[in-house]
Amino acid sequence: MSENSTATGRTPVDFWFDPLCPWAWMTSRWMLEVEKVRDVEVRWHVMSLAVLNENRLDELPAEYRDMLENKAWGPVRVVVAAQQLHGDEVVGPLYTALGTRFHNRGEGPTREAVENALKDVGLPVELADHADSDTYDTELRASHKEGIEKVGQEVGTPVIAVPGADGEQIAFFGPVVTPAPKGEEAAKLWDGTLMVASIPGFYEIKRTRTQGPIFD
């Protein structure tokens, strides 16, 4: 199988997420819409806001620091444990189950929400125990490093990477968007994002965000 195609012959899109991040969640829902209208297939990977910020906790607001220290490690550890024990194919469905409960239903990253998400996709509830375990932190950090090194330490989650014309990956942070576009709007945003990301020397385009994430 080519580096530039999946087993289905589609173009691979590597997507790094932290299940706790609402903006990554919005982008991931858009990416699923893109799969319907473009010949691409998403490959899901974890990254971690806790790892990203662990060396600058003292610089962060108290509320955000508390979230990183006490809530951010658990969900991503559970996803990595599920991946290690049950295969890459469970990552996407588990992310959807977790995100739906955390964000759309407003349950937050509670033990109950994690257990119910595991049940939703037919995975053992006992995987929730890994929320408090560092057993697979080496794998978590390796996945995080692979994603963040493609875009640099100044950004966060999500990170997206696609094959470029020269065989090298084109990688970028975001896009940050709400609500998640659907149909042809999803296609337009995808095509435009790829276009600007493929320009040598292009780094950033941004405007003021005026609202929080809008969940379906």
Side-chain angles (χ1 to χ4, degrees), residues 3-42:
E3 286 286 330
N4 292 343
S5 67
T6 66
T8 62
R10 293 184 153 202
T11 299
V13 178
D14 291 296
F15 189 108
W16 281 264
F17 67 91
D18 184 314
L20 204 59
C21 178
W23 296 107
W25 174 246
M26 298 304 300
T27 306
S28 73
R29 299 311 91 182
W30 162 68
M31 201 64 246
L32 291 182
E33 289 293 317
V34 174
E35 277 192 319
K36 300 174 185 178
V37 292
R38 291 293 181 265
D39 194 28
V40 301
E41 183 175 333
V42 182

Side-chain angles (χ1 to χ4, degrees), residues 67-153:
M67 183 276 291
L68 292 173
E69 291 180 320
N70 299 308
K71 298 178 181 179
W73 283 102
V76 73
R77 279 173 164 168
V78 171
V79 175
V80 173
Q83 180 185 34
Q84 294 300 310
L85 296 173
H86 298 276
D88 292 342
E89 64 273 11
V90 306
V91 176
L94 180 56
Y95 179 30
T96 290
L98 288 168
T100 299
R101 289 185 173 277
F102 290 178
H103 306 299
N104 291 34
R105 299 184 186 177
E107 297 177 18
T110 64
R111 170 79 184 214
E112 181 180 11
V114 171
E115 289 184 349
N116 284 330
L118 290 165
K119 292 177 185 176
D120 291 341
V121 293
L123 289 169
V125 173
E126 292 74 22
L127 283 169
D129 294 339
H130 287 276
D132 300 314
S133 169
D134 63 0
T135 301
Y136 297 110
D137 277 10
T138 297
E139 290 80 2
L140 187 163
R141 289 177 180 277
S143 181
H144 173 89
K145 181 179 179 182
E146 181 184 10
I148 203 66
E149 284 189 344
K150 295 179 183 298
V151 291
Q153 297 290 331

Side-chain angles (χ1 to χ4, degrees), residues 3-4 12-16 43 45 146-147 150 159-172 197:
E3 286 286 330
N4 292 343
V13 178
D14 291 296
F15 189 108
W16 281 264
R43 302 188 298 201
H45 311 271
E146 181 184 10
K150 295 179 183 298
V159 169
I160 296 176
V162 299
D166 60 358
E168 294 293 324
Q169 280 191 321
I170 299 169
F172 49 89

